[in-house]
Amino acid sequence: MDGTLMTATVAELVRQDPRLRPVFETFGINHCCGGHVGLAQAAAAAGAPLERLLTALRETQATPGTLDVRGLEPPQPLVRVLERVARLEPGETLTVVLDRRPIFLYPLLEERGLTHETDEPEPGAVRVRVRRG
Amino acid sequence: MNLSRAPCASGSDAARPVAALPLTFLATAAAAFLAAALAAPWVAAALTGHYYQPALFALTHTLTLGWITLSIIGASCQIVPAVLERPLASARAQWVAYGALLIGALGMVAHFALAEWIGLAWAAGLLAIGVLIHVVNLAVALARLPRWTFTARCTALALGGLVVTLGFGGALAINHLRPFIPSVFPMLHVHVHVALLAWVLPMVIGVAAHAYPTFLLAPEPRGWLGGLQLWGLALGVPCLAIGVLAVPGLVAPASLAVTAAIGGHLAWVAGMVRRRRQPRLDWPLRFVLTGTAGLALAATLGLGFAFEVLTGPRAAAAYGVIALGGWVSFTIAGMMLKIVPLLVWSRVYAPRVGRQSVPSVAALAWPSAERVAYALLLAGVAALALAAAAGDGRWIARAALVVAGGAVAFAAALGHALAHLRGQPPLPAVRRLPVFGAGR
């Protein structure tokens, strides 16, 4: 996960997981206009301690909720979802937003004993709710 | 709101995408490309004369059937589930089609080389069975589509083009046994152009509209240019065929309609490249974009023939090299270098994500081999086209050797990815571990 955190730009991280936005705001990092830089550079510019920022981002990412994997090159959406659902506890649900139906993801979810249902809340967005147990 | 629960029924082989199927088609196609490229220097002398020769027919059908058609059909096995979001009607039938296509194509190439026409007709019949199984398999899947996207329409158009290509090819094969075609060359030209413009091109533009934005990280193209591409081909190619066979006055307007369709495709690709978020063009993407430039050049030469600015077998040989080598081969090679590592990764490593550490897709690629393949194929194809136009046998042989070197490097790059299919340890019991995985 740190590999992604350290290689993606701030804007990409927020786009992939909007829950990270308040974390950046807390640390005084501009995720919109100044979001084109990497995490280390953004933290340095805002005078934020990188280790604390990373810990906060990791904790937020570790919390089940919504995962937006639109605009990522294959197989990144599949990787991100499988990494996240590995941490799902019984009874927990993860909502994933994708560009299209993840036809190759479904069997992998089923192999792991996860149930899923898919809908299309708006054109160009597919939502998959993944639930363990 | 369209709600569906578990669209891939658990344990259903028919519904579950099968990576082995497209991988087998694509690996076989790559082997055919390598075989054709290695054989090319041996038949180079034939390119100095007229193209109507058994050795050249054997070579071109190794490319068109073995390399191009098997690639496209293999890619279709991936496109239908991944892009059209529907499983193949029958994976088992597709394996039967693979067997018929492989044996049929091998038989056709061998009998072309031997100039043995009865065997050719039998092999063509077997190939036709494979083609028809594939067409029915995809048509059933298409018939179940809830909505007809641009890619779905292109796929349907291409399937029709494949059947018509098969019809013209079959007529030419029968004509060798019982001559009934008054003039073979117009029929041969129609066979070639229907194959390229009604079978290959619709699949290329259909896949491009979906796969290119996926890999370039660009918005999917929309708008009237899509209609221009579809209508330009749907109207232009039949009119071109009729024009070449019976109504010469139709050739020029039909060629303009096809060129307009190609122009629409080129404008879409240019737009995707301009608006891409992918900062770096890797070698597979450079292959694909070079193939697009090759299409523009081939279309220009095609217009030259339509308006009789270009004539003669040498110009036709150069045109064929640009179309098959510069456009189709670069496009297919680029897509293959993107898709094969992804398919191998999906088959070997995707089930392990979230359970253990897995390599990235990029780790399956071999950029150095891709770079060498790109350089040699580009130089070789350009030199081969020029040498064929000049009718210089010595330079044709040298250029063919460079192409062969490029094909070896291309095969090595694919082999590097395919090697990951072997010797993978069994999956461990499910554990929850932090994992790392990154895309290309």
Side-chain angles (χ1 to χ4, degrees), chain B residues 47-122:
Chain B
L47 269 173
T48 56
H50 199 283
Y51 52 80
Y52 198 82
Q53 300 181 53
L56 285 184
F57 283 161
L59 182 65
T60 50
H61 282 82
T62 306
L63 283 173
T64 55
L65 295 176
W67 165 233
I68 297 170
T69 297
L70 287 184
S71 295
I72 295 177
I73 291 180
S76 302
C77 300
Q78 177 77 357
I79 290 163
V80 169
V83 180
L84 306 182
E85 300 174 353
R86 280 292 171 275
L88 280 173
S90 167
R92 193 170 297 172
Q94 203 65 17
W95 281 113
V96 175
Y98 170 76
L101 287 164
L102 178 62
I103 298 168
L106 281 170
M108 283 185 68
V109 169
H111 288 100
F112 266 126
L114 297 168
E116 208 283 285
W117 307 125
I118 295 177
L120 175 71
W122 280 106

Side-chain angles (χ1 to χ4, degrees), chain A residues 15 71 73-76 79 82-83 86 88 100-101 103-104 106 110-112 116-120 132, chain B residues 1-6 8 10 16-17 81 85 210 214 277-278 338 351 353 355 432 435 438-440:
Chain A
R15 194 179 61 251
E73 185 177 353
Q76 279 294 325
V79 170
L82 290 177
E83 284 176 348
L88 276 182
R100 60 189 66 88
R101 281 172 191 264
I103 203 88
F104 296 98
Y106 293 137
E110 290 162 15
E111 278 171 8
R112 289 156 201 241
H116 55 88
E117 54 181 53
T118 302
D119 66 358
E120 295 180 25
R132 184 180 294 281
Chain B
M1 185 179 286
N2 175 17
L3 189 79
S4 65
R5 191 181 290 265
C8 289
S10 297
R16 185 174 166 167
E85 300 174 353
H210 183 87
T214 300
R277 287 187 293 106
Q278 181 69 271
K338 271 286 183 197
V353 176
R355 295 169 173 173
R432 294 189 191 176
V435 292
R440 183 165 189 172

Side-chain angles (χ1 to χ4, degrees), chain B residues 304-352:
Chain B
F305 280 103
F307 286 90
E308 298 180 353
V309 178
L310 292 172
T311 54
R314 282 185 183 171
Y319 173 51
V321 170
I322 297 289
L324 292 178
W327 163 41
V328 183
S329 293
F330 265 85
T331 305
I332 289 176
M335 288 312 296
M336 223 183 244
L337 290 171
K338 271 286 183 197
I339 289 172
V340 167
L342 195 54
L343 283 171
V344 171
W345 186 92
S346 299
R347 183 174 169 79
V348 178
Y349 298 112
R352 298 161 191 266

